[in-house]
Amino acid sequence: MKRIKIAEVLNSSQVGDKIIVKGWVRAFRSNRFIQINDGSTINNIQAVVDFESFDEAVLKKITTGASVGLTGTLVESQGAGQSIELQVSEIEIIGEANPDDVQKTVMQPKKHSLEFLREQAHLRFRTNVFGAVFRIRHGVSFAIHKFFNDKGFYYLHTPIITGSDAEGAGEMFRVSTLDPKNPPLNEDGTVDFSEDFFGKQVNLTVSGQLEAELGALALGQVYTFGPTFRAENSNTSRHLAEFWMIEPEVAFNDIVDNMDLAEEMLKYICNYIMDHFADDLKFLSEREAAEQSSKPVNERAEMTLIERLTFVTQNDFKRITYTEAIEILVNSNHYKKKKFKYDVNWGTDLQSEHERYLVEKEFKRPVIITDYPASFKAFYMRQNDNCEAGKQTVAAMDILFPGIGEMIGGSQREERLDVLKQKLVDFNIHEEELSWYLETRKFGTVPHAGFGLGFERMVMFVTGMSNIRDVIPFPRTPKNAEF
């Protein structure tokens, strides 16, 4: 017989079937009841052992964390919590786990703090919380690929090692093969990168957007889905040094088309997870509810995890301009009563507290804000025409979600060569650095648009996890690069 995954057993197997399951022991009670899990589902299967039929030496090896293979027959369960259980006829001990050692790990069958789980990131996959999180992470990834594939997009792999800084932030990881103790130097004492592997200074990418534009201006519609890197010395619950980004680019799309695509994609992802990962969502929602109940009433989330997902799927996103958003905030009782930590005025970027107010208090639905001031947006965003004097704006958009604030940032791109050249001057970017980018505006330029979705931020939203380090398998943060 071939091994059957536990998810398949619980979903489709019948009483009387003889099967083999393999997994890790979650609990072994009274030398009779074994709870095992193989990672295919958050649910365990209960196996019943007639201890008189097995050697005591074998039963002693069935400890929490041990891996076993069980052969037996499915029978109706006599206990609560499951409809079927496995009557065991054969036991194979695949890998032992010393109980004394297990007591020092996250596999100990009790509730652990997320901080403790991070300290044992190599074992945290074994817990219910992280099993659910990473199954859903897979589901979000698959949903994104399926969404774009079904809409006729082409998946484009953009460079991880690059000579350009798409964001203009300058906080990038350098890639070099030069001897750090004795690098070649120019006459002025600076490092001579012409002697480096690529013949110039290169870095890990912060975005695949500029390269994705090149693909879109030939293939029509493309998307990237890959790792990006930011050398920010930040230890907040929202920052990673290595994270994943989804960045579609579409030729002939304007800012309205861009908003339509982003809204459709976000709703698709949330619906996909609710349809295909109901058990994991239920577990995470109950976990979140238990955590919320221990907080003061005024600090509790207003919606459950499932309600937040439904909030996205069942509401049309409200679309307003940045100027309208500022007016709403300034005229709000929240602002007048000085409940905002950060001030609100035209020309400054909105803070998370402002974004969440618009979503959760003012409109009670996801919000898309457009037409931001050019002063704090990237050089590649299309300059709007007919702006008020002193209030130059660009065709940018941010999509705001409950509990998290900004989920997506995007824009219509500046397709006019003369305007784009001037923007490079304004941003102090040398033309020769982006000569290849400018050439796309010389030969058949067209309006086009795209956006970026931080993958881990999306996974945080659909799992209810509050720290970004808990939704990526191996977090990279300042002073931390294990594995």
Side-chain angles (χ1 to χ4, degrees), residues 13 117 164 171 208 478 481:
S13 296
L117 292 171
S164 71
E171 296 171 324

Side-chain angles (χ1 to χ4, degrees), residues 410-482:
S411 72
Q412 185 173 336
R413 315 311 189 189
E414 183 56 76
E415 85 281 9
R416 299 164 294 186
L417 180 61
D418 57 337
V419 179
L420 188 55
K421 280 187 172 183
Q422 182 56 51
K423 284 202 155 197
L424 293 183
V425 173
D426 296 341
F427 279 78
N428 197 28
I429 300 172
H430 299 295
E431 276 193 28
E432 57 269 23
E433 293 179 23
L434 290 174
S435 58
W436 48 272
Y437 187 72
L438 292 173
E439 287 222 324
T440 61
R441 274 62 171 175
K442 293 179 181 178
F443 307 113
T445 187
V446 299
H448 58 288
F451 58 81
L453 168 66
F455 181 60
E456 280 74 27
R457 184 162 287 199
M458 187 72 210
V459 178
M460 285 176 70
F461 181 75
V462 297
T463 59
M465 303 300 285
S466 59
N467 194 313
I468 198 167
R469 302 178 193 199
D470 296 328
V471 297
I472 190 168
F474 309 106
R476 298 292 185 250
T477 54
K479 310 300 183 185
N480 177 38
E482 288 188 83

